[in-house]
Amino acid sequence: MRIERLRTNHLENPLGFFMEQISLSWVVTQARGTRAVKARIEVSQSETFERCVFDSGERDDLNSLDYRLPIKPKAGTRYYWRVRVWDEMGDQGSGTAYFETPVSLTRAAWITAPFSQRIHPLFRRRLKLTEPIRRARLYICGLGLYEAYLNGEKVGAEYLAPFYNDYNLWLQYQTYDVTKQLLEGENVLGVMLGNGWYKGRFGFVERMDQLYGDTFRLIAELHLTYESGRSEVIATDERWLCAPSPVAESSIYDGEIWDSRKEIQDWAAVSGSEEAFEQARVIDGPTKLLTPRLSLPVKIMKTIQPIALLETHAGEHVLDFGQNMTGWVEFTCEEPEGAEIYFQFGELLQEGNFYNENLRTAKAEFRYISNGRRAVVRPHFTFYGFRYLKVTGITEIKLENFTGCVIHSQMEQSGTITTSNPKVNRLFLNALWGQRGNFLDTPTDCPQRDERMGWTGDAQVFAATASYNMETAAFFDKYLHDMRLEQDTLAGGVPHVVPDILGQIDRKLRSDGIVSDNVAVSSAHSSCAWGDAATIIPWTLYLYYGDRTALRVHYPNMKKWTDYIRRVDIERCGGRYLWTDGFHFADWLALDNFHKDSCFGATDPYYVASVYYYYSASLTAKAARVLGEEKDAAYYEELAGQIKQAIREEFFTATGRLAADTQTGLVLALWFDLAPEAHRERLVQSLRDKLNEEAIHLTTGFVGTPFLCPALTKAGLVKEAYTLLLNEDYPSWLYEVNMGATTIWERWNSVLADGSISDTGMNSLNHYSYGSIVEWMYRFMCGLSACEEAPGYRRFLIQPYPDERFEWVSMEYHSAMGRIKSGFRKTEQGYEFDLEVPFDTEAEFVLTMDCLRVLLDGTKTGIQKAGESIRLQKGRYTVAVELPKE
């Protein structure tokens, strides 16, 4: 037996993270038995577990998905924890992990540079170690962004720290283990700062910067523990030195300018001269907002080499990386002193030439001025969304001198789907790459243009797909923390984007006496399907990871949001259990509104709002029931029932006709069982008719699309769902694939059939929302669904719906309980299903077709009818299904 994937709060060996409550989880593999009969957890400050601060003893009730550790750890302490598991065969195994708590920054002062705040600063501090070091930790926060160096080497492997949140509400500081970077004798700690989201340009208003602050700030404490037991703290104060950095400009949107002629040689090394430095200045700062980190590290997760150097019709030199991605390009510069290298980033070519007009006002540039020395160069305080790089200023462009660095929050990939259809495989990869490109600390809508915001609607639409694709629990924990803080300022409402940069822009404009049409929507908040991220994401995480501790943490988000809608209902909608007031994006970017230039779908926004009102009340009731909040559960269940009845009375005729007579309207009614059962078949027929009117093509937008194929499958229209997946003409997912897409587009027609871009005002080629079709692929094509009664895949369904247009389909998903496999292959007799069930789980294989006979590993099962099932425990299985001959 092996114990793997040991996690603390869904993090692998976390260092300095905020951990008010500590939840442990693990996965058992290679066991002889099928289930755990007992387990034991020990916690110690010693790696050898000589003395334990906690010992659970051998128990039969330890939860491998969420064991809440009943101790209050000390600050600045590393704890090792060990779990041992026994199965019913007597096999046993153990695994060890650790977590380390942060300290509060109580000795450091905020410092800044005394020169212009438009000049990017470097900070430097000498320190001398007179005896051997046992342990060293750097606790640091720099605004807007920072990179720390010790003796000339970068500290940590992450970028864009301290990341993106509402800096009015909290500031994250990070912890780094720098023990091995320190040298006996002289050392130098250096920090460079950039603008970032805090101080740089951001938001829809062109040239608006300094949204959260106008001053570069740094605070840090280096905690040293010597072998003798003596301790020392080196903190930011007036003894630090500062100098201008070679970064002339930095901007999330516009890029970076680096003038290497202004570099200070070895500025963060002992050998560096301090002649150009002057004394830093101590200033007041938002110390009370400092909080240990929740953000995952943003790292270089992949590197990509360019596949071609193009010389365009316009005479441009353009590198093609073959993949739309997020990050930057690292290159080797060998140009003479004074030469200026100029990079421009774009997502596609137009008429064979470089193009970036869909980035709107974002310049997305990198300028590097050479000092004549050979150097490996990268940006430090920005990122780009791109496939193509236009290069100017390099005498001889060599492909081997360029590397594309793909950055995103550090999450392991958990799911993979491959099929006999290469285009569907590319579609899966497009959705995965869309997630890679947009899960950069915040689930952004796009990584390239002058936006890159944490739109709540996009996040909730894609949350389930994201959680199949990657381990998202810790990533969304941080996002939901951001959301809850924003909700506290909006009486439970949810801003359209989290962090609420639109609200910050609006406040800044109004404080300056300006009201701008560009941000008319920014003073609004709480749109249906966007604000419902507050209930949908926490419940999704609970289903996928089975973590009740996390659900408890996020339950306030759910209550605050549902209570907010109820207040709106009572105060502005007559208390009719309908949401019929306010601005709503609703079925955004649907194709059924024929008004030119409108982004709003044709489905009644108040119908959509009322449906989501019902959905959020239902999810809040479920969460309350799980958490033992019985009074809340009864209240929200009653509320959900009242809303459903009100929807039926308002939007359905006595004969079952739906007033919201669109694909999206019908899909929502079917998926959420809103129509009385007697009228369900009428709705199914109406939806079939709507599809036939469009030759089995979709007209849905952000609300309807995620539920379209699931609702069709649930209604028995499986072939229609597959046809939507497999359509190759506009509008369809494979149309994008045929047009060369390597990520998911914002619009169904982002690029027209002739290769021209359809619109430059709002047109991203890396916009993951419509990638939610991949959830249907996991859940219905491959058949894998979590069970609410035993979440985290402790119990799950495998209910695949094969289609004859696929020769084979294969899925592998590393769930919170272990690896699950499901796939089908056509045979001469029918289908063969390949299944794998992990340790300590139970699966139910459900037949979705009538059969002549079903064999489990060659043995007749006795099931033949659709809906009948086989229960499976840990193991690999082959289920052969023989179909009647036509």
Side-chain angles (χ1 to χ4, degrees):
M1 179 189 292
R2 291 176 59 88
I3 312 296
E4 300 176 346
R5 290 171 58 193
L6 290 88
R7 300 287 190 264
T8 306
N9 291 7
H10 303 282
L11 299 162
E12 182 178 5
N13 298 331
L15 179 66
F17 277 74
F18 177 75
M19 288 185 286
E20 186 175 29
Q21 298 171 342
I22 298 174
S23 174
L24 308 179
S25 60
W26 60 91
V27 171
V28 176
T29 65
Q30 300 181 29
R32 288 202 304 269
T34 62
R35 58 188 175 86
V37 295
K38 60 182 178 179
R40 178 184 183 183
I41 290 175
E42 299 167 280
V43 181
S44 174
Q45 293 180 33
S46 165
E47 197 169 3
T48 60
F49 291 87
E50 292 174 1
R51 292 184 301 277
C52 288
V53 298
F54 173 77
D55 187 342
S56 70
E58 295 177 10
R59 293 171 51 179
D60 62 4
D61 61 345
L62 293 188
N63 182 358
S64 66
L65 293 171
D66 167 29
Y67 178 75
R68 185 171 173 181
L69 199 59
I71 66 170
K72 187 173 179 62
K74 296 188 296 184
T77 305
R78 176 167 292 192
Y79 291 88
Y80 297 89
W81 63 276
R82 177 168 64 192
V83 59
R84 182 173 296 276
V85 179
W86 290 262
D87 67 19
E88 81 280 15
M89 301 288 289
D91 195 7
Q92 61 178 286
S94 67
T96 302
Y98 67 82
F99 62 89
E100 184 172 312
T101 56
V103 301
S104 298
L105 303 188
T106 58
R107 306 191 193 186
W110 289 94
I111 60 173
T112 192
F115 40 76
S116 168
Q117 292 299 316
R118 294 288 177 181
I119 298 174
H120 291 58
L122 303 173
F123 293 92
R124 175 182 165 99
R125 173 73 154 86
R126 280 187 180 272
L127 56 141
K128 188 171 184 177
L129 306 184
T130 57
E131 54 182 296
I133 284 287
R134 179 191 305 163
R135 163 188 160 118
R137 298 290 184 269
L138 176 64
Y139 304 95
I140 181 171
C141 177
L143 297 174
L145 302 174
Y146 74 85
E147 286 190 5
Y149 294 81
L150 192 51
N151 296 324
E153 293 183 358
K154 187 177 182 303
V155 172
E158 54 189 303
Y159 301 88
L160 304 177
F163 315 111
Y164 178 36
N165 44 262
D166 190 327
Y167 306 100
N168 297 317
L169 302 177
W170 67 306
L171 300 174
Q172 299 183 77
Y173 62 93
Q174 290 69 45
T175 304
Y176 300 99
D177 182 348
V178 294
T179 308
K180 294 181 179 179
Q181 285 184 258
L182 284 167
L183 307 171
E184 193 168 343
E186 292 287 335
N187 292 265
V188 168
L189 177 60
V191 182
M192 59 191 304
L193 298 184
N195 286 321
W197 297 273
Y198 177 82
K199 188 174 173 290
R201 179 164 89 90
F202 202 65
F204 289 137
V205 180
E206 189 174 359
R207 307 305 338 147
M208 176 172 278
D209 59 3
Q210 300 181 353
L211 283 163
Y212 292 101
D214 59 4
T215 304
F216 287 113
R217 283 181 166 87
L218 171 66
I219 190 168
E221 291 182 6
L222 177 63
H223 287 229
L224 305 173
T225 303
Y226 296 97
E227 289 290 357
S228 65
R230 185 173 68 89
S231 62
E232 183 181 8
V233 175
I234 308 295
T236 43
D237 56 23
E238 67 280 350
R239 286 174 288 181
W240 284 61
L241 302 177
C242 60
S245 90
V247 179
E249 292 183 21
S250 71
S251 165
I252 297 294
Y253 290 162
D254 294 334
E256 187 170 303
I257 300 175
W258 183 286
D259 189 344
S260 66
R261 298 171 301 179
K262 297 181 180 179
E263 291 177 359
I264 300 173
Q265 190 74 16
D266 297 329
W267 70 274
V270 173
S271 59
S273 168
E274 295 182 346
E275 183 179 348
F277 285 80
E278 57 186 297
Q279 187 175 358
R281 181 162 57 92
V282 172
I283 57 170
D284 292 334
T287 306
K288 291 182 179 179
L289 297 179
L290 285 169
T291 306
R293 71 183 301 162
L294 275 175
S295 285
L296 294 172
V298 172
K299 291 187 172 183
I300 297 174
M301 302 300 293
K302 285 183 177 291
T303 57
I304 296 179
Q305 300 305 126
I307 61 172
L309 171 61
L310 310 175
E311 184 167 346
T312 70
H313 303 314
E316 308 154 318
H317 292 96
V318 176
L319 293 179
D320 179 4
F321 285 85
Q323 172 64 54
N324 201 359
M325 63 185 186
T326 300
W328 53 70
V329 172
E330 183 178 274
F331 73 103
T332 301
C333 179
E334 301 172 306
E335 299 303 309
E337 183 176 0
E340 181 173 332
I341 292 89
Y342 177 38
F343 291 169
Q344 293 171 279
F345 296 81
E347 292 188 288
L348 77 166
L349 303 176
Q350 289 289 275
E351 298 179 350
N353 297 319
F354 178 79
Y355 176 87
N356 64 359
E357 290 181 24
N358 67 314
L359 308 190
R360 300 189 300 217
T361 67
K363 291 181 182 178
E365 301 173 342
F366 180 64
R367 295 177 184 268
Y368 178 79
I369 303 169
S370 174
N371 59 13
R373 294 192 293 269
R374 188 178 189 275
V376 177
V377 179
R378 66 166 173 89
H380 290 72
F381 300 120
T382 191
F383 62 92
Y384 310 89
F386 68 100
R387 172 175 172 169
Y388 296 97
L389 176 71
K390 179 180 172 183
V391 179
T392 305
I394 292 182
T395 307
E396 182 182 0
I397 300 174
K398 304 173 185 176
L399 290 184
E400 61 270 22
N401 282 352
F402 295 83
T403 299
C405 299
V406 179
I407 65 168
H408 60 78
S409 293
Q410 186 178 20
M411 294 172 286
E412 287 189 16
Q413 185 176 338
S414 52
T416 303
I417 295 174
T418 53
T419 78
S420 55
N421 187 320
K423 294 181 180 180
V424 172
N425 296 343
R426 182 66 248 185
L427 171 61
F428 172 83
L429 290 175
N430 287 1
L432 182 63
W433 274 99
Q435 185 171 351
R436 286 174 179 152
N438 284 290
F439 276 41
L440 198 161
D441 193 48
T442 294
T444 59
D445 60 323
C446 59
Q448 75 296 90
R449 69 184 181 213
D450 55 356
E451 198 160 344
R452 313 187 197 190
M453 301 173 186
W455 285 95
T456 49
D458 302 59
Q460 70 86 1
V461 160
F462 196 71
T465 303
S467 300
Y468 275 121
N469 284 343
M470 294 182 182
E471 290 187 24
T472 61
F475 176 83
F476 277 127
D477 277 346
K478 183 265 180 180
Y479 186 62
L480 290 168
H481 180 79
D482 280 326
M483 187 181 298
R484 186 166 61 257
L485 294 179
E486 302 287 7
Q487 286 181 267
D488 288 342
T489 71
L490 297 172
V494 176
H496 302 322
V497 298
V498 172
D500 187 16
I501 187 66
L502 299 181
Q504 181 68 10
I505 290 170
D506 186 69
R507 288 187 291 272
K508 184 171 175 62
L509 287 172
R510 293 179 191 279
S511 69
D512 294 341
I514 302 169
V515 178
S516 171
D517 291 337
N518 291 337
V519 287
V521 76
S522 69
S523 57
H525 57 83
S526 301
S527 163
C528 71
W530 271 243
D532 297 278
T535 56
I536 294 168
I537 297 176
W539 186 251
T540 299
L541 295 180
Y542 176 66
L543 287 181
Y544 282 71
Y545 300 102
D547 188 344
R548 285 184 51 171
T549 299
L551 184 64
R552 171 73 66 184
V553 169
H554 303 313
Y555 181 59
N557 298 57
M558 305 177 79
K559 279 193 66 173
K560 288 173 188 289
W561 172 243
T562 305
D563 292 348
Y564 171 85
I565 308 174
R566 180 62 182 147
R567 278 199 312 277
V568 171
D569 171 14
I570 293 170
E571 295 171 5
R572 303 207 294 266
C573 307
R576 297 185 302 134
Y577 298 99
L578 297 171
W579 191 2
T580 55
D581 179 79
F583 169 85
H584 295 282
F585 290 102
D587 199 25
W588 185 248
L589 294 184
L591 299 174
D592 52 9
N593 188 337
F594 299 105
H595 294 288
K596 191 177 186 309
D597 298 328
S598 175
C599 293
F600 295 93
T603 308
D604 181 348
Y606 293 143
Y607 166 75
V608 176
S610 297
V611 171
Y612 272 89
Y613 183 11
Y614 165 73
Y615 190 20
S616 280
S618 301
L619 294 180
T620 307
K622 289 180 179 182
R625 189 70 70 192
V626 167
L627 297 171
E629 302 288 345
E630 298 302 328
K631 186 177 178 181
D632 280 1
Y635 168 73
Y636 291 114
E637 285 166 0
E638 170 69 16
L639 177 60
Q642 294 277 18
I643 298 165
K644 177 182 276 193
Q645 185 58 35
I647 290 172
R648 288 176 172 178
E649 292 174 0
E650 178 72 13
F651 294 102
F652 289 88
T653 68
T655 58
R657 182 170 59 84
L658 178 62
D661 188 30
T662 63
Q663 285 186 14
T664 290
L666 292 161
V667 161
L668 294 181
L670 288 167
W671 184 250
F672 291 110
D673 293 318
L674 296 175
E677 187 59 35
H679 303 312
R680 182 174 174 80
E681 280 309 309
R682 175 171 181 170
L683 289 183
V684 172
Q685 185 57 49
S686 295
L687 180 54
R688 183 187 284 114
D689 292 343
K690 286 288 178 189
L691 287 170
N692 287 334
E693 288 171 11
E694 303 293 333
I696 318 297
H697 284 75
L698 52 78
T699 59
T700 50
F702 272 37
V703 164
T705 300
F707 299 117
L708 177 56
C709 287
L712 288 170
T713 306
K714 182 180 177 182
L717 303 179
V718 180
K719 283 195 177 296
E720 286 83 350
Y722 268 101
T723 297
L724 289 170
L725 172 69
L726 294 171
N727 282 337
E728 297 194 24
D729 56 339
Y730 167 80
S732 70
W733 287 279
L734 297 191
Y735 167 78
E736 298 181 16
V737 170
N738 287 338
M739 294 303 297
T742 60
T743 43
I744 300 294
W745 294 347
E746 181 175 17
R747 296 169 178 259
W748 294 111
N749 64 340
S750 283
V751 179
L752 303 178
D754 64 1
S756 61
I757 193 161
S758 62
D759 176 78
T760 57
M762 194 182 79
N763 201 345
S764 157
L765 302 186
N766 192 350
H767 220 91
Y768 58 75
S769 299
Y770 288 144
S772 57
I773 184 61
V774 170
E775 179 191 358
W776 177 86
M777 292 166 64
Y778 279 110
R779 190 172 175 185
F780 294 96
M781 184 170 76
C782 301
L784 178 62
S785 292
C787 293
E788 293 184 1
E789 300 77 16
Y793 296 90
R794 188 172 292 283
R795 210 164 63 234
F796 55 92
L797 291 179
I798 301 180
Q799 189 172 0
Y801 290 84
D803 185 276
E804 61 185 9
R805 286 166 281 186
F806 284 89
E807 292 296 320
W808 58 270
V809 164
S810 178
M811 178 216 73
E812 182 173 308
Y813 174 56
H814 291 267
S815 76
M817 290 297 296
R819 183 173 64 187
I820 300 172
K821 287 187 175 182
S822 176
F824 63 80
R825 182 180 298 274
K826 282 202 299 187
T827 65
E828 291 183 4
Q829 291 76 33
Y831 287 99
E832 185 175 274
F833 298 88
D834 181 32
L835 314 174
E836 182 175 349
V837 178
F839 178 82
D840 211 19
T841 68
E842 185 178 82
E844 185 177 4
F845 176 80
V846 181
L847 205 58
T848 57
M849 64 202 80
D850 292 336
C851 308
L852 291 176
R853 63 175 184 163
V854 178
L855 301 178
L856 174 62
D857 291 338
T859 303
K860 193 171 181 180
T861 64
I863 69 168
Q864 292 177 234
K865 300 294 183 183
E868 294 180 332
S869 63
I870 313 168
R871 291 198 177 274
L872 306 171
Q873 288 186 312
K874 177 211 148 190
R876 290 291 299 269
Y877 301 92
T878 299
V879 178
V881 172
E882 186 177 336
L883 297 176
K885 300 296 183 183
E886 294 184 0

